[in-house]
Amino acid sequence: MKKHNYLDLGTAVDVLNTINGGMSEPQMIVNHNHEGREIRMRIPGISRDSLHVEIHNNSLTIYHYTTLLSQDMMIDLPRIVYSKVIPYFIDINKISAHTEDEDLIVELPYNRLSNGFHRDLKIQE
């Protein structure tokens, strides 16, 4: 089995970032209240309509595409700006996203069952 050299990947990402002139840092605020959490994100130079929100394997990822010209072909490459595992106390089925002004807002409501679920089970013979 071939061993992968991840140092090369890091160098490639750094070169890609340099070629494209760098990347604006996302402005992100995470608010907490009694209903859940809210992520507010804005990335200078990136329209809110260009952002994508995805839940995959219990991870929440926010990304956008950047276009790169390579050998006379336009290639869309994803740029991940946020990626974290969703904690057990968030109701993954009720996560939603919308926009407000120039912000992307991702709502992460709490999972009420994480506060302690109790049920007596009848023992079957």
Side-chain angles (χ1 to χ4, degrees):
M1 178 177 267
K2 183 179 177 183
K3 184 178 179 181
H4 296 285
N5 188 346
Y6 292 105
L7 184 57
D8 291 341
L9 177 63
T11 303
V13 169
D14 189 40
V15 169
L16 179 63
N17 193 34
T18 302
I19 290 172
N20 287 324
M23 180 179 163
S24 298
E25 287 294 319
Q27 299 168 354
M28 184 175 74
I29 298 171
V30 179
N31 296 317
H32 304 264
N33 60 42
H34 66 282
E35 293 293 320
R37 294 182 177 176
E38 174 187 84
I39 298 172
R40 289 182 161 266
M41 182 174 289
R42 180 184 299 182
I43 306 172
I46 304 295
S47 74
R48 65 183 189 184
D49 299 329
S50 298
L51 294 173
H52 301 271
V53 181
E54 184 175 292
I55 298 170
H56 183 71
N57 290 336
N58 292 338
S59 288
L60 175 70
T61 304
I62 302 172
Y63 63 96
H64 65 89
Y65 288 102
T66 186
T67 304
L68 179 69
L69 179 63
S70 177
Q71 298 179 351
D72 296 327
M73 292 177 55
M74 301 299 279
I75 302 169
D76 286 333
L77 298 173
R79 282 207 159 166
I80 296 173
V81 293
Y82 179 90
S83 184
K84 294 211 176 185
V85 173
I86 301 166
Y88 74 93
F89 53 82
I90 297 296
D91 191 341
I92 200 164
N93 291 312
K94 293 184 180 175
I95 294 174
S96 64
H98 65 279
T99 57
E100 183 178 296
D101 297 325
E102 292 300 314
D103 295 341
L104 168 71
I105 300 169
V106 180
E107 295 180 3
L108 304 141
Y110 289 133
N111 178 359
R112 299 294 176 211
L113 294 178
S114 70
N115 290 333
F117 178 78
H118 177 81
R119 185 179 102 189
D120 287 328
L121 297 175
K122 182 178 179 180
I123 300 173
Q124 298 180 9
E125 293 181 24

